[in-house]
Amino acid sequence: MRISIEVDLDYAIMGPPADVLLQIEAAAMPDQRIVSEALTVWSDTPVVAVRGEEGIGQRCWIRAESWLKAEYRAIVEIDRQPVDLARLPATPARALDGALVAYLLPSRYCQSDRLEGFVRREFGGMGGGALAVALSDWVADALEYRANTSSGETTAIDTFASRSGVCRDYAHLLVALARAGEIPARCVAAYAPGVDPPDFHAVAELWLDGAWRMIDATRMAPAETIARVCVGRDATDIAFMTVFGIAQFVNQRVQVTAA
């Protein structure tokens, strides 16, 4: 399917000029093709593009003075077939490629080491795709999607305790639980139609049977409708905008529709 993406960002820069790392462009990948796109940034200095984590997508360095204004428009064609995750076998940790090890370990927002006891107690004897599905279902059923109940400092453990959050919190908790169950897991910044409220979206990808498998624990979007922007260990790596200074929100609009 094809999705249409429209993003408008408008932020005031408080104080001295600031460097801004922007990640809002859909990534060109084998299972998602960029049909058309245009990124427009209002800046007096050149925009510098750099590769994203794992070589997926790209980031842009922007020098913002007084204000930051950017627009992104794209059409993305997604060719990703549904997969019966429950049938996928487990891969022993010792058999994983070295590049995957980082996605087994705790990170700033995904403290998987503190959830190992819970996973062993509640999901003991399960592994691979069956465990992935069980964990995703548990997160979807246990959490209540509620805006303004978390912040940029909220971790997977905070969400586990509060039982509420937004897509970022769902992704963090699923990733942490999967790592606790010895499944490599990473966070994905994405675009998807049907997200309510309309905004940048966050999902998880779990390494199962030799490939990354996308899971949206909010159940808002099937994997075959989601376009990746970038991937990483947690929100530290996939934030749509990182400001090395102080920025104040003025206006932001994200609209994703089936094209």
Side-chain angles (χ1 to χ4, degrees):
M1 71 171 299
R2 288 188 176 189
I3 62 172
S4 171
I5 302 165
E6 296 184 7
V7 178
D8 297 294
L9 302 178
D10 196 350
Y11 284 78
I13 302 299
M14 314 304 291
D19 288 328
V20 178
L21 190 59
L22 198 63
Q23 292 191 111
I24 62 173
E25 298 169 83
M29 301 183 70
D31 60 354
Q32 56 183 60
R33 182 174 67 90
I34 309 302
V35 178
S36 64
E37 69 174 344
L39 173 65
T40 305
V41 177
W42 283 259
S43 175
D44 292 332
T45 58
V47 175
V48 179
V50 294
R51 294 178 65 188
E53 290 284 328
E54 300 287 324
I56 294 174
Q58 75 171 14
R59 301 160 165 162
C60 290
W61 280 112
I62 300 166
R63 185 65 173 172
E65 301 183 20
S66 301
W67 58 296
L68 168 68
K69 183 178 175 65
E71 292 181 356
Y72 179 64
R73 302 288 187 268
I75 301 292
V76 181
E77 184 169 3
I78 301 165
D79 184 14
R80 186 179 306 117
Q81 300 303 313
V83 176
D84 185 356
L85 299 180
R87 294 180 176 272
L88 301 181
T91 302
R94 66 182 180 278
L96 293 171
D97 181 86
L100 296 169
V101 172
Y103 297 112
L104 273 179
L105 304 177
S107 60
R108 177 180 177 183
Y109 293 105
C110 300
Q111 311 100 312
S112 51
D113 52 327
R114 296 177 59 185
L115 292 167
E116 290 174 358
F118 172 77
V119 172
R120 282 196 298 267
R121 184 173 62 253
E122 298 294 326
F123 304 95
M126 301 181 70
L131 176 58
V133 171
L135 293 175
S136 176
D137 287 345
W138 185 89
V139 172
D141 294 337
L143 300 190
E144 179 184 0
Y145 194 98
R146 294 174 59 192
N148 303 317
T149 57
S150 61
S151 71
E153 298 300 318
T154 302
T155 69
I157 292 299
D158 297 327
T159 302
F160 182 78
S162 70
R163 296 292 201 268
S164 65
V166 295
C167 61
R168 171 186 186 271
D169 305 306
Y170 279 70
H172 276 162
L173 184 53
L174 177 55
V175 164
L177 289 169
R179 292 176 186 171
E182 300 184 6
I183 300 174
R186 66 189 186 186
C187 291
V188 182
Y191 293 113
V195 173
D196 185 25
D199 205 345
F200 297 106
H201 200 39
V203 299
E205 282 190 321
L206 278 55
W207 182 264
L208 297 165
D209 196 29
W212 288 108
R213 314 292 182 173
M214 188 179 295
I215 302 176
D216 181 3
T218 70
R219 296 176 174 168
M220 288 187 186
E224 57 269 25
T225 69
I226 299 173
R228 296 182 201 85
V229 175
C230 55
V231 304
R233 296 160 299 168
D234 54 33
T236 304
D237 298 329
I238 68 168
F240 76 91
M241 185 172 69
T242 303
V243 181
F244 294 84
I246 302 174
Q248 182 176 6
F249 172 88
V250 176
N251 183 55
Q252 177 175 303
R253 183 180 73 94
V254 178
Q255 180 174 315
V256 184
T257 57

